[in-house]
Amino acid sequence: MLLLGLTGSIAAGKSTVSKLLSSPPYNLPIIDADVIARKVVEPGTPGYNKILAHFNSTTPGLVIGEAENGPLDRAVLGRRVFGNSPDRVRDRKVLNGIIHPLVARETYREVLRAYLNGAWAVVLDVPLLLEAGMETMCGGVVVVAAGEEVQMKRLLKRDPKLTEEDARSRVGSQWSAAKKVELAEYVFGDKAWVVDNGGSLEDLEQEVRRVVDEIGKRRKGVWKWVWGFPVVAMVIGLWGILRNWWRRRTWEAEKREVKAKL
């Protein structure tokens, strides 16, 4: 089974690509990290309790309603962690450190469930796939990209409550599409695909069709039978994870070396 990572910066159109892949003629199962991320911080969960323990006393309005165990106000939490100031960067690292391990654990369960159900491929839909290091478990990655001004326009239309400053802060808090593509291509080579979503829906549909066709060609021959044997699939999967992990660490080391020379 192919685990295909799907990622993209905020308002780049990743969710639209995910919907296309889950619909005919592709009908691929989707593991949506956003859905999982909401699930792991529902009231009463360990993730919820950890967030309250760190942020509640210094973040007015974090909990919706009067009850102490009310749901989190994601907009309030977002304003606390989005931005490039040292305090916000530090808080964002704390929040990611709480959520990412919980999301990863639940994701592994969903992947196993898809494999046991006989899916030939499953899409791992994660906005921060590369930032969180979750690409190491994938066999390939699709990066959905759009220009920053396109992102801003879509973000403000999607959430009228956001100011332009809030929107720009959210866009600037994430890796750029160029950085995502750079890492994806370094780790996966020709198994990294870029979907340009700067145009119309029809253009996007053609881009998705192109990528799925390329992925399908790679499943021809002996490889499409390999994943039917659990032991062989497990060995190949573990080898892929180790290889991806090593390539990512090499990329990071090269980046640190370049930065040190500046």
Side-chain angles (χ1 to χ4, degrees):
M1 183 185 76
L2 171 65
L3 182 58
L4 182 65
L6 175 64
T7 190
S9 299
I10 189 169
K14 176 188 59 62
S15 296
T16 304
V17 172
S18 181
K19 289 179 182 178
L20 290 173
L21 291 172
S22 66
S23 304
Y26 314 117
N27 297 315
L28 295 178
I30 307 293
I31 299 174
D32 191 331
D34 277 344
V35 173
I36 296 175
R38 288 183 173 88
K39 179 180 177 181
V40 300
V41 296
E42 289 178 347
T45 61
Y48 175 88
N49 294 333
K50 289 180 180 179
I51 289 174
L52 288 191
H54 185 84
F55 293 101
N56 196 34
S57 63
T58 56
T59 312
L62 179 61
V63 175
I64 298 175
E66 299 298 328
E68 293 183 358
N69 62 341
L72 297 174
D73 190 319
R74 293 169 62 85
V76 171
L77 185 58
R79 284 193 291 271
R80 171 68 185 267
V81 301
F82 285 119
N84 295 315
S85 68
D87 287 345
R88 292 191 177 187
V89 170
R90 183 178 61 251
D91 286 337
R92 189 161 64 249
K93 287 182 178 179
V94 171
L95 181 63
N96 289 340
I98 294 171
I99 294 178
H100 288 171
L102 298 172
V103 171
R105 191 179 309 153
E106 186 64 27
T107 297
Y108 282 118
R109 294 194 184 107
E110 292 290 334
V111 170
L112 178 60
R113 188 175 295 113
Y115 176 76
L116 294 176
N117 287 335
W120 74 268
V122 61
V123 177
L124 181 57
D125 181 347
V126 186
L128 302 180
L129 180 82
L130 297 163
E131 292 90 330
M134 293 180 67
E135 84 286 347
T136 55
M137 63 190 293
C138 298
V141 166
V142 175
V143 179
V144 184
E148 184 174 318
E149 291 308 313
V150 174
Q151 290 176 256
M152 287 284 298
K153 183 178 179 181
R154 291 173 179 167
L155 191 55
L156 290 169
K157 182 178 180 180
R158 186 170 73 191
D159 189 348
K161 295 181 180 179
L162 288 179
T163 66
E164 184 171 340
E165 181 181 356
D166 288 338
R168 199 167 296 280
S169 177
R170 294 195 175 197
V171 171
S173 295
Q174 296 186 354
W175 284 10
S176 66
K179 186 174 182 179
K180 290 176 185 284
V181 171
E182 179 187 348
L183 175 56
E185 291 182 341
Y186 192 100
V187 173
F188 295 98
D190 60 1
K191 293 181 182 177
W193 295 274
V194 181
V195 170
D196 181 1
N197 190 25
S200 65
L201 178 59
E202 290 74 19
D203 294 333
L204 180 61
E205 290 172 343
Q206 291 181 7
E207 284 281 282
V208 171
R209 189 178 305 114
R210 172 184 62 81
V211 169
V212 175
D213 286 346
E214 289 183 15
I215 294 171
K217 290 177 183 178
R218 295 179 180 279
R219 287 189 49 79
K220 293 181 178 179
V222 67
W223 288 103
K224 69 179 180 180
W225 304 108
V226 166
W227 298 101
F229 299 91
V231 175
V232 177
M234 184 178 296
V235 171
I236 294 177
L238 288 174
W239 164 247
I241 290 172
L242 290 172
R243 180 196 59 206
N244 295 344
W245 177 86
W246 177 255
R247 288 178 177 175
R248 181 187 175 99
R249 294 301 175 270
T250 303
W251 179 81
E252 291 174 340
E254 290 180 1
K255 286 296 179 183
R256 287 194 297 268
E257 184 178 348
V258 170
K259 187 175 181 179
K261 292 179 179 178
L262 295 178

